[in-house]
Amino acid sequence: MAVKKVNVAVVGATGAVGETMRRVLEERDFPVAELHLLASARSAGAALDFRGRRVVVADLEKFDFAGTDIALFSAGAAVSRRHAPRAAAAGCVVVDNTSCFRRDDDIPLVVPEVNPQALAGHANRGIVANPNCSTIQLVVALKPLHDRFRITRINVATYQAVSGAGRRAVDEMLAQTRALLDGRAAANGMYPKRIAFNALPQIDVFLDNGYTKEEMKMVWETRKIFGDDAIRVNPTTVRVPVVHGHSEAVHIECERDVHLGEARAALASAAGVTLMDERRDGGWPTAATDADGSDEVFVGRLRKDISHPRGLDLWVVSDNLRKGAATNSVQIAERLLREHPAAGDCA
Ligand code: NAP
Ligand code: 3JM
């Protein structure tokens, strides 16, 4: 990439997403001049690796964003609400991984394979929002189908990995699993019921309409990214005892007639999609065996819906910490540097 080097801050650097951010920046050879790793006072002073060097974690509260070009925020919505505007005011472009700004009309919500044109709006407030992990893999898989068949309705059930709820959630699932295998009682902490050897039909808080906030994020964000307020989305989000990778059973209804061969060809050539759809034992992708560690959105189990004349069913799997969070944010930052080089120009 023939772009100048920039100063980058990772906010929430000690977390599950922040750790993946560091790895993805390194893997993609992002043109980092100086890297600032930020977290709360709890972790300030700890040292983390980046490109073979130790970088000391600093306290976000005391950090001055002047001189930082791009900040990748993943420390929760409340932290973004407090600190992202002051980073932007200091001339830094913020790519925010939380739900804090996603629904604001003047903040672009971007998946580079789907709506890169929206990035132009970064200049409005100096903030670009990264969608929720479940939305990202859904829209990457559905974009080529929406372009051809015009989707009118999406029914989706998710099977979401515990790493989507952070480090403590992974620890809790593993501790419960160990305890149960040893014949001991499993204590609940983060989840209201046991997650080990179970499936929990609640992610995030309940809203007045009986859906959870995670479910409504998929409704709001899909409409905004597709620029289509008419598209109807009906999600059920479920937490399952998988460490990395979300899976989704997706059922779409379309305006135009659906041709399976055309759908398959569209998915096979779509950016960011790997079609893994063979009608034999194991001819489909899974979170643990295919998605974990990959940046791709895997699609399988493609078939015409026997209950609807213009319906199509598919199975969509992706790594929630990579394409669902860190990789998408870094891809946004790469595009900002390439296509909007004045973004966060602090150098
Ligand atoms: P995590 O493993 O629990 O890590 C949380 C991170 O935030 C840690 O680095 C923590 O630092 C930091 N932090 C917490 N409170 C802070 C504060 N007051 N000031 C500064 N830093 C603070 O969680 P995670 O899974 O990485 O997720 C972090 C956030 O990213 C989530 O809350 C969510 O908003 C967002 N996220 C987005 C997606 C997506 O779908 N795009 C997916 C997952 C997460 P300490 O070490 O100092 O505690
Ligand atoms: C994924 O602010 C918080 O407590 C974070 C909750 C959270 C979010 C969120 O709302 O930002 C946890 C995991 C997300 C997300 O990406 O929407």
Side-chain angles (χ1 to χ4, degrees), residues 12-17 39-40 42-43 60 74-76 79 97-98 102 130-133 164 166-167 324-325:
T14 52
V17 176
S40 77
R42 286 182 295 272
S43 300
L60 171 66
S74 284
V79 172
N97 229 302
T98 78
R102 290 182 191 145
N130 188 91
N132 180 261
C133 38
R167 285 185 183 286

Side-chain angles (χ1 to χ4, degrees), residues 210-226:
Y211 285 73
T212 65
K213 192 167 173 206
E214 184 83 350
E215 289 161 351
M216 290 311 295
K217 286 173 190 171
M218 294 184 79
V219 178
W220 298 322
E221 296 175 18
T222 300
R223 288 178 170 165
K224 180 166 173 177
I225 295 162
F226 279 158

Side-chain angles (χ1 to χ4, degrees), residues 131-343:
N132 180 261
C133 38
S134 299
T135 309
I136 293 177
Q137 66 183 68
L138 182 74
V139 296
V140 168
L142 293 189
K143 160 82 170 155
L145 303 175
H146 192 40
D147 286 347
R148 268 155 198 85
F149 309 125
R150 188 81 1 220
I151 299 169
T152 55
R153 182 158 182 252
I154 303 165
N155 269 299
V156 53
T158 70
Y159 305 74
Q160 297 184 217
V162 287
S163 59
R167 285 185 183 286
R168 279 179 50 224
V170 177
D171 293 345
E172 177 166 326
M173 194 264 284
L174 296 176
Q176 287 180 351
T177 306
R178 256 182 232 113
L180 291 164
L181 289 174
D182 290 348
R184 290 180 281 118
N188 299 330
M190 291 204 56
Y191 296 114
K193 295 197 180 185
R194 191 181 100 198
I195 180 65
F197 305 106
N198 208 356
L200 311 181
Q202 179 190 346
I203 299 180
D204 213 331
V205 296
F206 274 98
L207 301 180
D208 287 345
N209 66 358
Y211 285 73
T212 65
K213 192 167 173 206
E214 184 83 350
E215 289 161 351
M216 290 311 295
K217 286 173 190 171
M218 294 184 79
V219 178
W220 298 322
E221 296 175 18
T222 300
R223 288 178 170 165
K224 180 166 173 177
I225 295 162
F226 279 158
D228 181 353
D229 275 343
I231 199 161
R232 287 170 294 157
V233 186
N234 183 37
T236 300
T237 56
V238 181
R239 189 74 71 189
V240 293
V242 166
V243 178
H244 293 127
H246 291 354
S247 307
E248 300 179 343
V250 186
H251 314 284
I252 59 170
E253 297 169 15
C254 303
E255 197 175 288
R256 303 181 193 137
D257 284 342
V258 170
H259 298 280
L260 199 57
E262 226 184 285
R264 191 167 274 129
L267 286 163
S269 63
V273 174
T274 295
L275 187 61
M276 193 179 279
D277 184 39
E278 291 178 42
R279 292 178 179 177
R280 58 167 179 84
D281 292 351
W284 26 259
T286 79
T289 58
D290 301 290
D292 189 352
S294 168
D295 288 323
E296 289 289 283
V297 173
F298 294 85
V299 177
R301 296 300 320 278
L302 202 61
R303 62 204 188 276
K304 287 192 74 161
D305 178 346
I306 54 170
S307 73
H308 191 282
R310 293 175 311 285
L312 193 72
D313 298 333
L314 54 159
W315 172 250
V316 179
V317 179
S318 194
D319 187 322
N320 53 300
L321 293 181
R322 292 184 67 99
K323 184 58 187 169
T327 300
N328 199 69
S329 289
V330 175
Q331 287 170 327
I332 288 172
E334 287 171 352
R335 275 200 183 246
L336 282 170
L337 290 189
R338 225 173 28 236
E339 296 166 16
H340 306 272

